[in-house]
């Protein structure tokens, strides 16, 4: 819900004879909770609003000071008004709440001891708050059969209390249509029409949204531990580029579960399924535990101690790291888009910026640089997800955000309701009145225009959707750009009393889209890197820039691909306006001596690859030829990836749960995450492996070095403060807040005395047997509002902890929005600008191996990437629930194009791309643009933009 409070519009209310000043924009229940009062509730949710269904939040409202009787009202349905007098403690409302919950509990199985929600249950909390402590009902209870709902959730319908939250969340909020309520009266059933995996990408949130144990976290069940036995730390989701905030929980060096950590500007209450369940790589059997040295003669490997590995590393690098620039150039490195900024910084310092290649293709480096330049010059204003949700018109350009940036897509789903919410507001109905607002809004939608090559999960919300090929998209975007430029000219000309431009020659779609953007107050443009097309991104940025000049509150969201790839855009050497896009293609060119410089001088003999699987980006033969040309290959990674298998020296690194450091999200928010567990065995943060060579021995030293060498990243020094609190400090923060009993002795079979948990070294969080006492907790809160206040008496459940916003008071909890702090020149973009970038774009694309056009005879089919949430995120795919939901790779093609190519649905085809070839199943898609073919995102990077498509059977004949 949107709460726009200012100090001036606070009102006075009295609750149980105590006066308060509160916001009039919240309902009475939310107000009580914000004030820290214990008023129970079930059906209300701060993001879903109020429907008044459960009757648990009853309070007594009095007309005035003389009224001694009052009347019962449901707090969640009651607006706050000046002079309001209520009581929560009077006999009438107290008894009502007790009776109500007793009635609700007559059908509940009271199976807390075997329920995984036990100790983390909103129903338990509310029962305790309401004072229902005796079970008097002795009758029969209704029972239900449960369903299989997929790999992420268990289903135990007998625990349902009929609050309707699940169905409101799944259908109304997330747009899912494969889950519903069935039956009537006390025989309600919440599930699917038939057993089967829930399709919505946010289904996992049902475990938290449901106030009871109907839906529980299935992967957590497989290594279940009671909440009070978990140790936790706050960090940032390591998958897509949005930077959602999470809490990681562990026991015995295993990640047990991930839960949402409320950040009102980003994820709010909800994480996508990748964020919730994509952590199994941390516990995976393919994790690297110890350094390995490969003997190239017999291809055997030996395990090294970390000291021996460091010595060997120093020996390999010593010729390269002497203060002789010529020697220095013989060691090159590839940085990682999925590791912390500190690790890349240390590596860049070690090899020098000219020898530091960014671990994504050159074309992506160029696009990241374009985004960062636009943000730094203030040409466009990056929006947060909360701002995206609040905007009143949006244009999405060729980015399937439901798959590449799911939490943003969920926000845009809510944004499309803003017109209805505003219409309701005109009738005096507040946004939290969910049922009434939906009644008034009906099907009214805020303007949402989508330009893409295929339909998407947001298609049903689009007020304008144009499905065309990428080439046609560029033409349409140029029309939109032209129209906005004309409008800008008109705005200036009107002052000079000049005439309007005739726009009749532009397409109707372009005119409608421009009209909808210009009619809005806070329109926004969303695009991203999915297209891998710098021209399309450039035009999108130009449109957003023109829009910002016409509408000062207009915003932009540029979705990038990985958790930390945006900061690559800040590491690019830009000398006299000539940017060098040193990505993976440039690395190959350098190694293969194609850079045109003195190759003897330039040829590297040592390569360090940091957390990047190059096989995801390069065709194997080409890559292996390059790697074979290098004497020493050092890989630092978490997993035994195909690239890691090529290493001469392999060093294990800590996962996101074992490391700490900063990520830069795609909105430009610098955030710090903490380790929950210390790296098992010899897993270390990569900068620690390099510390003796870089002379950077502490995160604060890396931050300082970065602020000197990449000034835009100077705010990172803010995060040095807590980094000083670690194992050697007299004071640390408890990773296990407020609990009175000892841990459950899960190793009782060996020893009834539970072992003290091992604390993560280098983090401010200490793991304890007993949690933290009140006094220490109050001290802790002075430093951070992180997990130490995650529980409080009567509010043990995760949703209880998230019931009111965290306020995001400090950089530690809110992050630092990097680009709103810079105010450089505000140069607008107009058609024809960016000549240099266009030229650079050509250089970049030329970095790839040139296609022999004869290889694509009869082809020239334009390929486009199809994003898939469950298939695209490298580390998440190690989680079996995620992997099991990912589709088989296929070539999707419009039936009309298939007919012209004589392809039959279901047959296997060879897709011969610009860089490599793959064999795929051919499937038909009638919704997509007719003149293109779709391949999975990951394959698109390998294949390139054009391909020849041949049935496997035919190719066999051709080959003969
Ligand atoms: S399943 Fe849970 S969320 Fe849904 S109605 Fe029942 S108790 Fe409420
Ligand atoms: S994958 Fe992206 S959207 Fe999903 S929880 Fe992580 S950061 Fe958020
Ligand atoms: S929370 Fe108020 S009626 Fe359910």
């Amino acid at each position: 819900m949107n709460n726009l409070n200012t100090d001036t519009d606070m009102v006075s209310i009295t609750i149980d004879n105590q006066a308060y000043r509160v916001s009039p924009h919240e309902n009475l229940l939310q107000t009580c909770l914000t004030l820290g009062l214990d008023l129970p509730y079930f059906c209300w949710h701060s993001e879903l609003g109020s429907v008044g269904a459960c009757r648990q939040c009853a309070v007594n409202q009095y007309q005035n000071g003389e009224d001694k009787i009052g009347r019962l009202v449901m707090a969640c349905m009651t607006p706050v008004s000046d002079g309001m007098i209520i009581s929560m403690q009077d006999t009438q409302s107290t008894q009502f709440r007790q009776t109500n919950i007793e009635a609700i509990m007559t059908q509940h199985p009271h199976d807390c001891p075997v329920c995984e929600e036990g100790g983390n249950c909103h129903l338990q909390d509310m029962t305790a708050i309401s004072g229902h402590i005796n079970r008097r009902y002795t009758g029969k209870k209704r029972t239900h059969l449960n369903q299989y709902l997929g790999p992420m959730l268990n289903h135990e319908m007998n625990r349902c209390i009929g609050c309707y939250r699940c169905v409101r969340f799944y259908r109304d909020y997330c747009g899912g249509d494969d889950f519903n309520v069935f039956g009537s009266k006390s025989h309600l059933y919440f599930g699917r029409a038939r057993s089967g995996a829930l399709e919505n990408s946010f289904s996992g949130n049902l475990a938290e949204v449901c106030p009871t144990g109907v839906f529980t976290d299935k992967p957590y069940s497989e290594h279940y531990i009671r909440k009070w036995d978990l140790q936790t730390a706050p960090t940032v989701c390591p998958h897509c580029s949005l930077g959602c905030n999470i809490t990681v929980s562990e026991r015995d060096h295993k990640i047990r579960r991930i839960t949402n950590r409320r950040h009102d500007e980003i994820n709010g209450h909800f994480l996508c399924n990748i964020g919730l369940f994509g952590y199994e790589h941390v516990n995976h059997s393919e994790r690297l535990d110890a350094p390995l040295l490969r003997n190239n003669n017999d291809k055997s490997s030996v395990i090294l101690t970390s000291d021996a590995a460091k010595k060997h590393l120093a020996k390999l690098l010593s010729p390269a790291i002497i203060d002789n620039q010529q020697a220095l150039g013989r060691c090159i490195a590839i940085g990682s888009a999925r590791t912390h900024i500190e690790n890349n910084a240390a590596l860049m310092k070690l090899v020098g910026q000219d020898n530091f290649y960014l671990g994504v293709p050159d074309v992506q480096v160029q696009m990241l640089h374009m985004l960062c330049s636009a943000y730094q010059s203030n040409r466009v204003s990056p929006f947060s997800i909360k701002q995206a949700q609040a905007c009143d018109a949006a244009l999405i350009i060729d980015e399937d955000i439901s798959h590449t940036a799911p939490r943003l897509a969920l926000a845009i789903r809510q944004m499309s309701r803003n017109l209805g919410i505003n219409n309701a507001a005109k009738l005096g109905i507040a946004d939290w009145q969910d049922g009434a607002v939906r009644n008034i809004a009906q099907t009214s939608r805020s303007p949402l225009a989508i330009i893409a090559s295929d339909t998407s999960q947001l298609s049903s919300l689009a007020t304008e959707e144009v499905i065309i090929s990428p080439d046609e998209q560029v033409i349409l975007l140029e029309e939109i750009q032209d129209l906005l430029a004309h409008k800008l000219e008109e705005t200036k000309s009107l002052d000079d009393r000049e005439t309007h431009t005739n726009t009749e020659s532009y397409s109707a779609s372009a005119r409608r889209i421009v009209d909808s953007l210009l009619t809005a107050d806070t329109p926004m443009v969303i695009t991203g890197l999915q297209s891998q097309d710098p021209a399309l991104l450039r035009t999108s940025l130009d449109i957003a820039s023109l829009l910002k000049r016409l509408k000062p509150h207009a915003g932009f969201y540029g979705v990038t691909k990985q958790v930390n790839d945006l900061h690559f855009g800040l590491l690019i050497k830009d000398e006299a306006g000539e940017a060098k896009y040193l990505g993976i293609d440039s690395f190959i060119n350098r190694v293969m001596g194609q850079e045109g410089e003195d190759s003897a001088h330039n040829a590297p003999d040592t390569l360090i690859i940091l957390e990047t699987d190059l096989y995801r980006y390069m065709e194997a033969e080409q890559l292996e030829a390059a790697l074979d040309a290098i004497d020493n290959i050092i890989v630092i990674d978490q997993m035994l990836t195909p690239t890691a298998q090529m290493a001469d020296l392999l060093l294990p690194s800590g996962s996101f749960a074992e490391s700490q450091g900063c990520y830069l999200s795609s909105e430009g928010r610098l955030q710090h995450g903490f380790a929950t567990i210390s790296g098992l065995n010899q897993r270390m943060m990569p900068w620690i492996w390099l510390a003796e060579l870089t002379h950077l021995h502490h995160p604060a030293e890396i931050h300082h070095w970065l602020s000197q060498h990449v000034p835009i990243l100077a705010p990172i020094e803010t995060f040095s403060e807590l980094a000083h609190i670690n194992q050697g400090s007299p004071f640390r923060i408890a990773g296990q807040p407020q609990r009175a009993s000892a841990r459950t002795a899960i190793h009782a079979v060996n020893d009834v005395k539970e072992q003290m948990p091992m604390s993560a070294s280098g983090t401010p969080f200490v793991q304890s047997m007993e949690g933290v006492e009140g006094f220490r907790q109050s001290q802790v809160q002075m430093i951070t509002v992180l997990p130490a206040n995650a529980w409080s008496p009567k509010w043990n459940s995760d949703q209880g902890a998230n019931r009111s916003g965290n306020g995001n008071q400090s950089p530690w909890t809110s992050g630092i929005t990097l680009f709103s702090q810079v105010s450089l020149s505000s140069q607008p973009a107009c058609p024809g600008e960016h000549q240099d970038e266009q030229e650079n774009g050509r250089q970049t694309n030329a970095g790839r191996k040139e296609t022999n056009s004869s290889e694509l005879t009869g082809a020239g089919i334009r390929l486009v990437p199809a994003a898939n949430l469950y298939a695209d995120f490298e580390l998440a795919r190690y989680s079996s629930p995620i992997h099991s939901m990912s589709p088989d790779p296929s070539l999707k093609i419009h039936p009309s194009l298939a007919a012209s190519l004589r392809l039959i649905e279901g047959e296997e085809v060879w897709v011969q791309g610009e860089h490599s070839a793959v064999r795929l199943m051919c499937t038909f898609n009638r919704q997509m643009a007719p003149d293109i073919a779709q391949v999975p995102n990951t394959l698109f990077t390998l294949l390139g933009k054009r391909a020849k498509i041949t049935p496997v059977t035919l190719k066999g004949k051709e080959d003969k």
Side-chain angles (χ1 to χ4, degrees):
M1 299 288 106
N2 303 324
N3 297 313
L4 306 168
N5 300 336
T6 61
D7 283 346
T8 50
D9 62 359
M10 302 293 264
V11 296
S12 299
I13 65 169
T14 303
I15 305 174
D16 289 316
N17 301 318
Q18 177 79 43
Y20 299 95
R21 295 279 292 165
V22 299
S23 160
H25 303 295
E26 293 177 345
N27 62 57
L28 183 55
L29 170 60
Q30 184 157 23
T31 301
C32 291
L33 298 174
T34 306
L35 292 171
L37 304 174
D38 292 337
L39 185 57
Y41 61 93
F42 291 117
C43 62
W44 174 82
H45 186 287
S46 72
E47 198 55 32
L48 306 180
S50 309
V51 288
C54 73
R55 322 308 281 168
Q56 194 56 41
C57 63
V59 295
N60 215 357
Q61 182 175 9
Y62 302 90
Q63 284 184 358
N64 49 46
E66 308 304 308
D67 180 2
K68 301 295 175 214
I69 299 172
R71 68 187 173 100
L72 282 181
V73 294
M74 296 308 128
C76 70
M77 299 297 285
T78 306
V80 167
S81 58
D82 200 30
M84 173 179 243
I85 304 172
I86 67 148
S87 173
M88 291 164 43
Q89 293 171 1
D90 67 298
T91 315
Q92 194 184 358
S93 70
T94 304
Q95 280 183 352
F96 181 93
R97 294 193 299 266
Q98 269 178 10
T99 309
N100 193 58
I101 199 157
E102 187 171 6
I104 286 173
M105 294 298 283
T106 54
Q107 297 296 344
H108 187 79
H110 289 81
D111 59 342
C112 304
V114 295
C115 175
E116 290 179 8
E117 200 88 343
N120 182 22
C121 176
H122 189 68
L123 180 60
Q124 282 182 331
D125 287 351
M126 298 302 102
T127 309
I129 289 177
S130 304
H132 167 55
I133 47 173
N134 286 325
R135 180 161 45 138
R136 292 184 294 170
Y137 176 71
T138 55
K140 237 178 154 180
K141 303 197 178 205
R142 55 101 177 92
T143 54
H144 299 284
L145 291 176
N146 300 318
Q147 289 183 317
Y148 168 78
L149 295 178
M152 293 160 192
L153 289 173
N154 300 308
H155 193 215
E156 178 49 71
M157 253 309 290
N158 291 341
R159 298 178 183 140
C160 178
I161 60 165
C163 70
Y164 278 76
R165 263 194 190 184
C166 53
V167 80
R168 290 174 57 218
F169 168 73
Y170 196 90
R171 296 185 70 88
D172 299 347
Y173 197 85
C174 299
D177 59 7
D178 61 321
F179 178 89
N180 216 331
V181 54
F182 304 91
S184 65
K185 298 181 183 166
S186 62
H187 287 276
L188 297 175
Y189 192 89
F190 294 84
R192 284 171 50 94
R194 284 198 183 83
S195 280
L198 287 166
E199 290 162 10
N200 195 277
S201 317
F202 287 83
S203 59
N205 294 275
L206 287 174
E208 186 177 322
V209 167
C210 174
T212 85
V214 175
F215 306 101
T216 49
D217 179 330
K218 197 181 257 187
Y220 181 32
S221 299
E222 284 166 20
H223 38 227
Y224 183 74
I225 293 286
R226 287 286 182 197
K227 179 176 179 175
W228 52 81
D229 286 320
L230 295 169
Q231 301 281 342
T232 61
T235 189
V236 174
C237 174
H239 301 298
C240 89
S241 63
L242 301 188
C244 292
N245 284 202
I246 58 174
T247 297
V248 178
S249 300
E250 77 83 40
R251 176 80 191 255
D252 276 356
H253 278 89
K254 260 205 175 107
I255 299 301
R256 304 295 175 143
R257 64 172 191 160
I258 300 252
T259 43
N260 182 64
R261 185 162 59 91
R262 183 171 170 181
H263 189 309
D264 286 337
E265 292 290 328
I266 309 174
N267 44 300
H269 287 268
F270 309 120
L271 300 174
C272 78
N273 288 345
I274 296 288
L276 286 170
F277 305 109
Y279 59 83
E280 283 294 337
H281 62 283
V282 180
N283 306 334
H284 203 275
S285 57
E286 283 181 29
R287 276 302 300 280
L288 296 168
D289 277 338
L292 290 175
L293 182 64
R294 186 168 66 166
N295 181 334
N296 272 322
N297 293 329
D298 62 4
K299 304 289 176 208
S300 62
S301 295
V302 288
I303 296 175
L304 301 180
T305 63
S306 47
D307 282 347
K310 281 182 187 169
K311 275 191 194 132
H312 196 80
L313 183 66
K315 198 170 108 195
L316 287 179
L317 295 180
S318 56
I321 58 169
I322 55 171
D323 288 330
N324 174 330
Q325 289 304 307
Q326 192 172 343
L328 192 68
R330 301 187 74 86
C331 177
I332 63 174
I334 296 176
S336 169
R338 61 166 155 89
T339 193
H340 293 117
I341 290 175
E342 289 82 350
N343 299 325
N344 282 316
L347 193 52
M348 190 164 90
K349 177 173 189 279
L350 182 70
V351 299
Q353 192 169 7
D354 285 339
N355 302 308
F356 184 68
Y357 293 83
L358 305 169
V360 293
D362 284 14
V363 70
Q364 283 182 38
V365 175
Q366 185 190 2
M367 293 171 86
L368 292 165
H369 185 241
M370 286 164 74
L371 285 174
C372 287
S373 303
Y375 299 159
Q376 283 182 268
S377 65
N378 215 7
R379 280 180 56 215
V380 299
S381 303
F383 266 6
S384 67
I385 292 179
K386 183 183 183 183
Q387 286 172 306
Q389 183 161 334
C391 81
D392 53 359
L395 166 62
I396 303 177
I397 301 170
D398 206 22
E399 183 78 20
D400 187 355
I401 58 173
S402 300
H403 289 284
T404 62
R407 188 60 188 83
L408 177 65
L410 189 64
I412 291 301
R413 194 169 278 285
Q414 313 320 311
M415 166 265 157
S416 80
R417 295 185 56 225
N418 286 343
L419 179 63
I421 291 172
N422 290 341
N423 289 343
K426 287 179 193 150
L427 299 173
I429 295 170
D431 59 354
W432 48 263
Q433 292 266 22
D434 192 52
V437 170
R438 285 181 194 275
N439 260 337
I440 289 163
Q442 296 290 327
T443 54
S444 56
R445 297 268 173 242
S446 295
L448 171 62
I450 301 176
I451 300 171
S453 54
D454 192 7
T455 54
S456 69
Q457 292 174 19
L458 293 177
S459 291
S460 60
L461 304 176
T463 50
E464 179 82 33
E465 186 176 48
V466 189
I467 302 299
I468 45 178
S469 70
D471 295 343
E472 291 168 305
Q473 286 175 30
V474 171
I475 295 168
L476 176 59
L477 292 174
E478 283 169 355
E479 285 192 320
I480 293 171
Q481 186 184 4
D482 267 5
L483 281 166
L484 289 170
H486 285 315
K487 192 53 95 177
L488 190 62
E489 283 305 308
E490 275 175 24
T491 318
K492 288 186 204 156
S493 307
L494 278 182
D495 298 336
D496 303 327
R497 298 176 194 286
E498 287 185 15
T499 52
H500 288 257
T501 311
N502 180 2
T503 59
E504 290 304 310
S505 56
Y506 293 93
S507 68
S509 295
R511 282 182 281 142
R512 281 196 299 269
I513 290 171
V514 167
D515 278 351
S516 69
L517 293 172
L518 293 181
T519 310
D521 290 325
T522 52
M524 76 178 297
V525 173
I526 299 172
T527 188
L529 268 56
Q530 186 186 342
S531 68
Q532 298 192 31
D533 185 345
L536 190 127
L537 177 61
R538 183 182 308 116
T539 312
S540 304
L541 282 166
D542 288 349
I543 287 171
S545 172
L546 284 162
L547 194 58
K548 185 180 168 185
R549 294 187 69 195
L550 287 155
K551 293 277 169 180
H553 301 298
F556 179 81
Y557 206 105
V559 177
T560 62
K561 281 180 170 268
Q562 295 185 65
V563 61
N564 208 15
D565 55 0
L566 186 66
H567 95 287
F568 278 176
L570 301 173
L571 303 183
I572 287 161
K573 209 166 175 183
D574 198 344
E575 281 170 354
E578 217 180 294
K580 281 175 96 175
Y581 303 125
L582 298 184
I584 292 174
D585 303 278
S586 296
F587 150 74
I588 296 280
N589 289 344
R590 163 91 174 260
V591 175
M592 302 309 279
Q594 291 170 8
E595 273 196 342
E597 294 178 28
D598 173 2
S599 55
H601 161 81
N602 221 18
D605 56 24
T606 304
L607 168 66
I608 308 173
I609 305 170
L610 177 59
E611 298 206 19
T612 304
D613 182 9
L614 297 171
Y615 284 86
R616 286 173 69 83
Y617 305 108
M618 295 305 301
E619 191 264 325
E621 203 180 316
Q622 194 184 2
L623 174 62
E624 283 161 14
L627 295 181
D628 282 348
I630 299 172
D631 294 342
N632 306 306
I633 298 172
I634 300 154
V635 174
I636 310 175
D637 210 331
Q638 305 169 40
M639 315 298 301
L640 191 61
T641 63
T643 302
Q645 291 173 34
M646 301 295 285
D648 298 304
L649 177 63
L650 183 53
L651 303 173
S653 61
S655 68
F656 75 103
E658 297 153 306
S659 309
Q660 50 191 22
C662 294
Y663 298 127
L664 186 67
S665 73
S666 49
E667 64 160 301
R669 190 180 297 262
L670 195 58
Q671 299 190 98
H672 189 282
F674 293 97
T676 313
I677 47 180
S678 58
L680 253 195
N681 304 315
Q682 296 173 71
R683 296 172 195 160
M684 288 188 209
M685 285 183 267
W687 68 262
I688 297 180
W689 280 118
L690 305 173
E692 279 162 29
L693 302 168
T694 59
H695 305 293
L696 297 172
H697 294 281
H698 190 276
E701 290 172 4
I702 303 178
H703 294 161
H704 187 66
W705 182 85
L706 255 181
S707 68
Q708 305 289 308
H709 290 82
V710 190
I712 180 79
L713 280 170
I716 202 170
E717 290 205 77
T718 313
F719 296 109
S720 300
E721 195 186 330
L722 266 194
H724 286 292
I725 305 178
N726 54 38
Q727 237 165 5
S729 310
F731 173 80
R732 290 173 83 192
I733 300 166
Q736 171 67 26
Q738 279 205 333
R739 48 182 300 275
S741 67
R743 309 187 106 200
T744 305
I746 59 171
H747 298 300
V749 62
N750 303 319
D751 187 350
V752 291
K753 196 160 55 12
E754 189 67 1
Q755 295 301 308
M756 182 72 185
M758 198 201 299
S759 277
S761 56
T763 104
F765 294 93
V766 67
Q767 301 203 349
S768 74
M769 300 287 276
E770 296 299 336
V772 62
E773 292 157 13
F775 166 74
R776 280 188 61 203
Q777 181 161 348
S778 66
Q779 300 298 304
V780 164
Q781 284 175 10
M782 289 165 61
I783 301 174
T784 171
V785 289
L786 296 176
N789 74 341
W791 295 353
S792 57
K794 303 181 204 163
W795 296 100
N796 294 293
S797 72
D798 296 326
Q799 56 187 287
N802 283 331
R803 69 193 178 282
S804 50
N806 56 17
N808 296 333
Q809 302 112 328
S810 74
W812 289 97
T813 48
S814 67
I816 299 169
T817 46
L818 215 51
F819 300 112
S820 62
Q821 300 196 340
V822 292
S823 181
L824 306 178
S825 64
S826 181
Q827 290 301 316
C830 284
E833 239 185 32
H834 314 303
Q835 208 60 38
D836 294 348
E837 282 178 11
Q838 285 169 21
E839 279 164 13
N840 281 335
R842 282 198 290 273
Q843 284 167 11
T844 302
N845 296 334
R848 283 272 178 179
K849 182 184 148 206
E850 280 305 316
T851 308
N852 178 350
S853 56
S854 65
E855 285 172 25
L856 301 178
T857 322
I861 304 292
R862 178 67 156 90
L863 296 183
V864 296
N868 187 280
L869 179 64
Y870 296 117
D872 290 352
F873 296 102
E874 181 190 355
L875 294 178
R877 281 179 57 83
Y878 287 94
S879 294
S880 56
I882 303 297
H883 186 63
S884 68
M885 294 290 284
S886 69
D888 290 335
S890 69
L891 175 94
K892 293 204 180 90
I893 193 162
H894 195 279
S896 61
L897 180 59
S900 70
L901 294 172
R902 303 196 178 173
L903 302 180
I904 301 166
E905 185 162 30
E907 77 174 322
E908 281 194 297
V909 292
W910 274 108
V911 183
Q912 172 66 57
E914 295 168 24
H915 316 299
S916 56
V918 290
R919 191 171 160 150
L920 291 171
M921 181 77 78
C922 170
T923 56
F924 286 1
N925 177 353
R926 287 175 174 74
Q927 270 79 46
M928 64 192 280
D931 43 356
I932 56 166
Q934 276 179 342
V935 289
N937 229 343
T938 41
L939 292 180
F940 178 76
T941 309
L942 295 174
L943 291 166
K945 287 184 180 161
R946 298 264 166 201
K948 178 182 177 183
I949 300 168
T950 328
V952 165
T953 45
L954 200 61
K955 183 166 189 302
K957 283 182 198 153
E958 271 179 12
D959 290 347
K960 277 180 203 160

